[in-house]
């Protein structure tokens, strides 16, 4: 019960409707979650949406450009309220980012991060046009990419464990052998808005 989860739509940035309504709702929700007395009860703020803000894939999706619509619409809001983790997918690959804001890495570790940690776990499977999904990653696209993995038909899933108010464990599991492909601990002793230097 020490987590404030928020699900949001990334599709509003492509459908052309609901952008302002969602932003207003998200702003109010995160503002409430970030009030110190509420944050002391639920210190972790974790948000999740379909399309990522950043990615190293070589397709032409929104996350592959520095002019990402999703990033332009939401990144500053999530930073303002100190969102700890952003879970994303869409790309049929896996990628873990260093804490990042405005394309700038704030640290090369996850100890008291000063920006959200993005986790792109899009390897659950795909049946687009009854064919194989093809969202390759051939290398890191930016300094924000800490780890990435892609191979056709290699499926997997993410596992998140909130250990306590300060420690969170993320594991990316490969489906065929159920082995941990990647894992990190996020340790945050200073939950709060990043704009205030939390």
């Amino acid at each position: 019960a020490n987590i404030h989860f928020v699900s949001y739509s990334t599709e509003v940035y492509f459908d052309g409707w609901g952008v302002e309504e969602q932003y207003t709702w998200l702003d109010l929700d995160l503002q409430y979650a970030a009030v110190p007395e509420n944050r002391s009860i639920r210190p972790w703020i974790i948000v999740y949406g379909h399309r990522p803000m950043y990615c190293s894939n070589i397709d032409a999706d929104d996350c592959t450009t520095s002019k990402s619509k999703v990033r332009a619409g939401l990144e500053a809001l999530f930073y303002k309220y100190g969102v700890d983790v952003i879970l994303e997918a869409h790309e049929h690959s896996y990628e873990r980012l260093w804490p990042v804001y405005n394309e700038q890495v704030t640290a090369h570790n996850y100890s008291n991060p000063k920006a959200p940690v993005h986790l792109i776990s899009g390897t659950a499977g795909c049946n687009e046009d009854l064919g194989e999904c093809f969202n390759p990653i051939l290398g890191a696209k930016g300094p924000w990419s800490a780890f990435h993995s892609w191979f056709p038909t290699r499926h997997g899933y993410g596992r998140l464990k909130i250990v306590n108010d300060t420690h969170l464990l993320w594991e990316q599991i490969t489906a065929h052998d159920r082995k941990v492909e990647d894992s990190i601990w996020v340790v945050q002793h200073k939950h709060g808005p990043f704009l205030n230097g939390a």
Side-chain angles (χ1 to χ4, degrees):
N2 53 357
I3 312 157
H4 183 85
F5 278 116
V6 182
S7 177
Y8 59 93
S9 172
T10 56
E11 302 315 297
V12 298
Y13 297 100
F14 304 93
D15 295 340
W17 57 270
V19 174
E20 290 179 29
E21 293 86 348
Q22 176 177 261
Y23 187 90
T24 300
W25 171 80
L26 269 171
D27 188 36
L28 289 172
D29 181 81
L30 292 171
Q31 183 179 31
Y32 176 80
V35 171
E37 48 272 20
N38 295 335
R39 197 87 192 235
S40 69
I41 297 167
R42 290 180 191 84
W44 293 103
I45 297 179
I46 299 172
V47 301
Y48 53 99
H50 180 67
R51 296 178 190 245
M53 296 182 194
Y54 299 86
C55 69
S56 292
N57 302 79
I58 61 169
D59 53 24
D61 285 343
D62 182 63
C63 57
T64 65
T65 173
S66 62
K67 306 245 187 257
S68 164
K69 294 176 185 179
V70 176
R71 189 176 337 135
L74 296 172
E75 187 176 38
L77 183 68
F78 293 162
Y79 184 79
K80 174 182 176 182
Y81 290 114
V83 168
D84 297 293
V85 174
I86 302 172
L87 300 173
E88 302 157 313
H90 187 68
E91 300 301 323
H92 299 280
S93 55
Y94 170 72
E95 189 163 16
R96 169 174 46 86
L97 278 54
W98 296 116
V100 61
Y101 175 67
N102 197 24
E103 299 189 65
Q104 300 300 309
V105 173
T106 62
H108 287 96
N109 63 61
Y110 303 99
S111 179
N112 294 311
K114 296 190 181 348
V117 175
H118 296 249
L119 299 164
I120 305 164
S121 185
T123 60
C126 177
N127 194 17
E128 290 181 20
D129 301 323
L130 300 175
E132 199 54 50
C133 294
F134 198 72
N135 302 114
I137 296 178
L138 301 180
K141 232 185 199 169
W144 33 259
S145 183
F147 180 90
H148 54 271
S149 173
W150 170 84
F151 192 79
T153 71
R154 184 175 191 177
H155 303 304
Y157 59 93
R159 186 165 47 200
L160 175 68
K161 181 177 182 181
I162 306 297
V163 176
N164 56 36
D165 289 353
T166 60
H167 288 69
L168 168 158
L169 173 64
W170 169 265
E171 296 175 314
Q172 180 68 17
I173 311 297
T174 53
H176 72 280
D177 60 7
R178 294 192 177 120
K179 290 188 177 175
V180 176
E181 176 181 26
D182 184 45
S183 70
I184 60 163
W185 283 93
V186 178
V187 178
Q188 183 58 275
H189 293 282
K190 304 172 184 174
H191 293 284
F194 296 124
L195 293 176
N196 293 336

